[in-house]
Amino acid sequence: MTIESKDYRAAPGKKVDLSKWPTIVDPYYDSPKQYKEFLHKHMEKLSSLQQLLYAAHSYALLLIFQGMDGAGKDGAIRHVMSGVNPEGCEVFSFKQPSTEELDHDFLWRTTCRLPERGRIGIFNRSYYEEVLVVRVHPEILRSQGLPEELCDEKDIWQQRYGSIVDLEKHLHRNGTQMVKIFLHLSREEQRKRFLARIDEPEKNWKFSTSDIHERKYWKDYMKAYEDCFHATSTYHAPWYVVPADDKENARLIVSQIVHDALGGLRMAYPKTTVKRRHELQAIKKQLVH
C-alpha cells in the first residue's frame, strides 16, 4: 500500500475547484481485516514519532480538521490518533463562540489552545470557521460587535485570510508544524449519513435539525472553502483535500499525512552527556548490588 500525501495537497497559490477533486478514490485496502492491519501499523509509527516529538521538545504539531457536517471529523481523529499517548495530545472542538470569546479578536479563542513544544494539538473545526460559516451567514458577522467600518464584506474576508496566513507564518517560525485537513464529502453521501443518524437509534444523538438547514447552502460552502484554500494553503501550512465518502480510506490517508508531517521534522533524542553517563552508571551499581 502506497499513499502519497502530495496527491491530496492543495498547491499554494493555485485556485481550487472542489468539483474536480474526488470525494472517493480506489481503496488502499482489500478487506476490512486488511484495513485494520494497515491502520494499526500507522498508529504504531505515529506512537513512535510522538514519543520522539515529546523527547526532542523542539517542535509542536497542530492538526486542523474541517469539513461539512457528517464528513467524519470525529471518527478520523478518534481512529487515527487512538494509538498516541493522551498525555502528549489534546483535542479541542470549537463550536459557536461564547460571549467572552466574541469580546476578543476572531483568532483569540484558538490561540489560547495552541500546542506546547513536544505536543500534538488537534482542532476539530478552528478559526477557519470565521471565513467559512461566517461568510456563508454574514448576519453572524454583523452580530460580532465589530465597528461598522470594519464589517465591509468586500474587504473583510481577504483581511481575515491575511491575519490567518500571518499567524501560521509566525507559528511556523516558532517551531509549530501545521497540517490542515479538509474531509471532502459528497452531498449524496452526506444525505445517506444523515438518514443513518435518523434510522439507527444509537446515532440519533448525532442528528440536529440545523444539519438539514445547512444543506441548503452547500454551493455557498463549497465556494467559501475554495476561496479559503486558494488564499491560505501555503508551503509551511498546507491544506489537504481528503476524499471522505469512504471513511476507512479517509482515515488511512489522514494517518499517512500526519505520519509524513511528523517524519519530516528534524528530530533526535537528546544526547546524554559524559557527566550524566557517570551518574547513571553510579545509580546502576546501587541497583545491581
Side-chain angles (χ1 to χ4, degrees):
M1 178 191 66
T2 302
I3 300 175
E4 298 288 348
S5 297
K6 61 181 177 59
D7 292 344
Y8 303 99
R9 188 185 305 133
K14 291 189 177 181
K15 291 186 177 181
V16 174
D17 182 351
L18 286 175
S19 68
K20 296 180 180 178
W21 286 71
T23 59
I24 191 167
V25 293
D26 291 338
Y28 291 101
Y29 59 95
D30 295 324
S31 66
K33 180 182 179 182
Q34 190 180 54
Y35 156 71
K36 291 179 181 179
E37 291 174 352
F38 286 162
L39 186 62
H40 181 70
K41 289 179 181 177
H42 281 201
M43 287 163 51
E44 287 182 333
K45 292 178 181 178
L46 284 178
S47 179
S48 297
L49 285 169
Q50 183 208 17
Q51 185 176 343
L52 177 57
L53 176 75
Y54 184 82
H57 201 71
S58 297
Y59 295 96
L61 176 66
L62 176 61
L63 306 177
I64 289 179
F65 285 83
Q66 293 286 158
M68 298 295 286
D69 293 320
K73 296 180 292 296
D74 293 339
I77 294 169
R78 184 171 64 253
H79 285 81
V80 173
M81 307 305 295
S82 60
V84 303
N85 186 338
E87 290 185 357
C89 180
E90 289 186 279
V91 181
F92 298 98
S93 183
F94 295 98
K95 305 294 185 181
Q96 185 174 347
S98 67
T99 301
E100 179 187 15
E101 290 166 346
L102 288 173
D103 282 338
H104 294 268
D105 66 272
F106 78 96
L107 292 171
W108 179 80
R109 67 172 180 160
T110 47
T111 303
C112 295
R113 299 288 182 256
L114 290 170
E116 305 164 21
R117 286 189 180 87
R119 293 178 175 270
I120 299 173
I122 301 173
F123 287 177
N124 186 347
R125 300 188 187 277
S126 64
Y127 45 80
Y128 278 99
E129 294 291 281
E130 293 294 325
V131 293
L132 297 168
V133 176
V134 179
R135 182 170 182 177
V136 173
H137 298 287
E139 64 274 12
I140 298 176
L141 180 66
R142 293 190 286 271
S143 67
Q144 290 185 343
L146 289 170
E148 186 175 346
E149 64 270 20
L150 298 181
C151 291
D152 187 346
E153 291 182 42
K154 294 180 180 179
D155 301 321
I156 194 166
W157 310 121
Q158 290 300 325
Q159 292 170 355
R160 288 193 169 186
Y161 293 148
S163 296
I164 289 170
V165 170
D166 287 344
L167 170 67
E168 293 176 350
K169 283 181 180 178
H170 169 76
L171 294 176
H172 176 72
R173 287 194 295 264
N174 285 273
T176 297
Q177 176 75 16
M178 297 192 62
V179 173
K180 303 178 295 193
I181 294 170
F182 171 63
L183 294 175
H184 189 22
L185 185 73
S186 68
R187 197 166 188 269
E188 174 59 18
E189 180 62 23
Q190 186 195 59
R191 185 186 70 86
K192 292 177 181 178
R193 294 182 185 181
F194 283 174
L195 286 173
R197 291 180 179 183
I198 295 171
D199 294 338
E200 300 174 31
E202 67 275 15
K203 293 183 178 181
N204 287 170
W205 65 274
K206 292 184 176 182
F207 188 75
S208 170
T209 53
S210 64
D211 295 341
I212 293 297
H213 176 72
E214 290 303 294
R215 274 175 63 82
K216 300 176 183 177
Y217 301 95
W218 188 275
K219 290 183 179 180
D220 295 329
Y221 274 110
M222 293 302 103
K223 179 65 166 63
Y225 272 111
E226 289 171 350
D227 290 348
C228 173
F229 298 156
H230 178 218
T232 65
S233 190
T234 61
Y235 290 104
H236 56 268
W239 273 105
Y240 292 88
V241 181
V242 176
D245 282 6
D246 179 338
K247 290 182 179 180
E248 288 75 19
N249 221 31
R251 292 165 188 165
L252 291 177
I253 295 170
V254 169
S255 66
Q256 186 66 55
I257 292 169
V258 176
H259 174 272
D260 290 347
L262 277 174
L265 299 177
R266 297 177 64 181
M267 299 185 293
Y269 283 101
K271 293 183 178 180
T272 304
T273 63
V274 174
K275 179 180 179 182
R276 179 58 174 162
R277 285 188 181 278
H278 288 320
E279 291 175 348
L280 292 173
Q281 290 301 317
I283 294 171
K284 181 179 179 180
K285 288 181 180 179
Q286 295 178 36
L287 293 171
V288 171
H289 299 292

